[in-house]
Amino acid sequence: MNKLTVNACELCDSSAGEPLWQDELCRVVLVEDRDYPGFCRVILNRHVKEMTDLDAQARQRLMEVVFAAERALRQLLQPEKINLASLGNMTPHLHWHVIPRFADDRHFPGSVWGETRRPRVPRAVDREALRASLRKQLRAVAQ
Amino acid sequence: MNKLTVNACELCDSSAGEPLWQDELCRVVLVEDRDYPGFCRVILNRHVKEMTDLDAQARQRLMEVVFAAERALRQLLQPEKINLASLGNMTPHLHWHVIPRFADDRHFPGSVWGETRRPRVPRAVDREALRASLRKQLRAVAQ
């Protein structure tokens, strides 16, 4: 991965999650979050800060991968809602949170970054099924 | 606006902010938030829940408007970071938050949905300059 900064960047220095899929532009990883099984991140493979720092083609492709992840999670988990976010205040290296939300999850209907509203409800995700669903969705948007 | 639900939806029933720009697909409004001057929302003009419920053309166009808003805010305000998010847990009608973030804002580097970290720092946004900058950016992506 291309390191353009002198500071350490965890998204440059590690996969930052269990790899589910990748190409030259970006990777999809499964986040280890007991409150949010199925929480995926789509991480650019280069150290770039903002979406509008990318050229139009890379920007569009990155979003297609985000939406493929959304589709895979909807098919597999039928969540109440999908949350998409690119924040990067702490780690200014482009990454998208793709979070399946459920009416009984810890923060619903608040954001996952706010106060918890209830205890965790155990919920499992079949990683191999998610990997297969992602591959299928991403074949459909393959360049 | 097309109302497909029997429940009231504030994004169907009102402009939900000071209109800055609009076309048939969506509108950009300025959010009234004293902590976040310049906070814009890009709101779909139809009641649709998820990005992957849109067809590819509408999805791409909506994102182009989001990125045009990002560009306008970066040019006008030079924020430390732009935060982009489509959550919709409370209002499941597609809308994107486009939030200019500053190192001394109330939540930085946390999300705007988390706990505040410091008092508000007064900061103004020139609405007419923002409107003009948005128009300029959106002319560049006009269909």
Side-chain angles (χ1 to χ4, degrees):
Chain A
M1 267 158 265
N2 198 355
K3 299 181 190 182
L4 295 176
T5 57
V6 289
N7 297 320
C9 168
E10 62 176 314
L11 301 187
C12 287
D13 294 342
S14 73
S15 64
E18 182 184 329
L20 296 175
W21 180 92
Q22 64 181 333
D23 70 358
E24 282 189 17
L25 181 71
C26 64
R27 59 192 187 270
V28 184
V29 305
L30 186 63
V31 175
E32 291 294 339
D33 187 325
R34 290 178 62 201
D35 290 339
Y36 291 99
F39 183 161
C40 291
R41 283 199 189 103
V42 180
I43 304 171
L44 194 76
N45 288 338
R46 287 179 288 143
H47 192 85
V48 173
K49 189 169 178 178
E50 303 280 14
M51 287 299 288
T52 50
D53 291 330
L54 293 178
D55 66 32
Q57 188 181 4
R59 193 163 50 239
Q60 187 178 340
R61 171 69 180 167
L62 185 61
M63 294 315 299
E64 282 174 355
V65 176
V66 169
F67 298 133
E70 173 177 308
R71 267 194 210 93
L73 289 169
R74 291 182 72 185
Q75 284 197 354
L76 194 67
L77 302 175
Q78 290 92 45
E80 177 62 30
K81 189 69 189 66
I82 291 284
N83 289 178
L84 302 176
S86 173
L87 308 180
N89 305 319
M90 295 189 193
T91 308
H93 173 140
L94 276 174
H95 59 283
W96 280 88
H97 306 284
V98 185
I99 314 169
R101 301 297 309 276
F102 295 88
D104 61 358
D105 74 31
R106 289 202 84 183
H107 302 82
F108 200 88
S111 92
V112 303
W113 300 283
E115 283 181 32
T116 58
R117 302 193 180 208
R118 61 188 71 82
R120 178 184 307 121
V121 172
R123 183 172 281 117
V125 61
D126 179 335
R127 290 167 182 227
E128 285 316 307
L130 178 55
R131 204 182 295 268
S133 182
L134 255 176
R135 271 200 303 266
K136 182 182 161 197
Q137 292 300 336
L138 284 155
R139 270 198 301 273
V141 297
Q143 284 182 312
Chain B
M1 266 156 265
N2 197 357
K3 299 182 190 181
L4 295 176
T5 57
V6 289
N7 297 319
C9 169
E10 61 176 315
L11 301 187
C12 287
D13 294 341
S14 73
S15 64
E18 181 183 328
L20 295 175
W21 180 92
Q22 63 180 332
D23 70 357
E24 283 189 17
L25 181 71
C26 64
R27 59 193 186 270
V28 184
V29 305
L30 185 63
V31 175
E32 290 294 337
D33 186 324
R34 290 178 62 201
D35 290 340
Y36 291 100
F39 184 160
C40 290
R41 283 200 189 101
V42 181
I43 304 170
L44 194 76
N45 288 337
R46 288 179 287 144
H47 192 84
V48 174
K49 189 169 178 177
E50 303 280 16
M51 287 300 289
T52 50
D53 292 329
L54 293 178
D55 66 33
Q57 187 181 5
R59 194 163 50 239
Q60 188 179 340
R61 171 69 180 166
L62 185 61
M63 294 314 299
E64 282 174 356
V65 176
V66 169
F67 298 132
E70 172 176 309
R71 266 194 211 94
L73 288 169
R74 290 183 73 185
Q75 284 197 352
L76 194 67
L77 302 175
Q78 291 92 45
E80 176 63 30
K81 189 70 189 69
I82 290 284
N83 289 177
L84 302 176
S86 173
L87 308 179
N89 306 318
M90 296 190 194
T91 308
H93 172 140
L94 276 173
H95 59 283
W96 281 88
H97 307 284
V98 185
I99 315 169
R101 301 297 309 275
F102 295 89
D104 61 357
D105 74 31
R106 289 203 83 183
H107 301 82
F108 199 89
S111 92
V112 303
W113 300 282
E115 283 181 32
T116 58
R117 303 193 179 207
R118 62 188 70 82
R120 177 184 307 121
V121 171
R123 183 173 280 118
V125 61
D126 179 335
R127 291 166 182 228
E128 285 315 306
L130 178 56
R131 204 183 294 269
S133 182
L134 256 176
R135 271 201 304 266
K136 182 182 162 197
Q137 293 300 336
L138 283 155
R139 269 198 301 273
V141 297
Q143 284 182 311

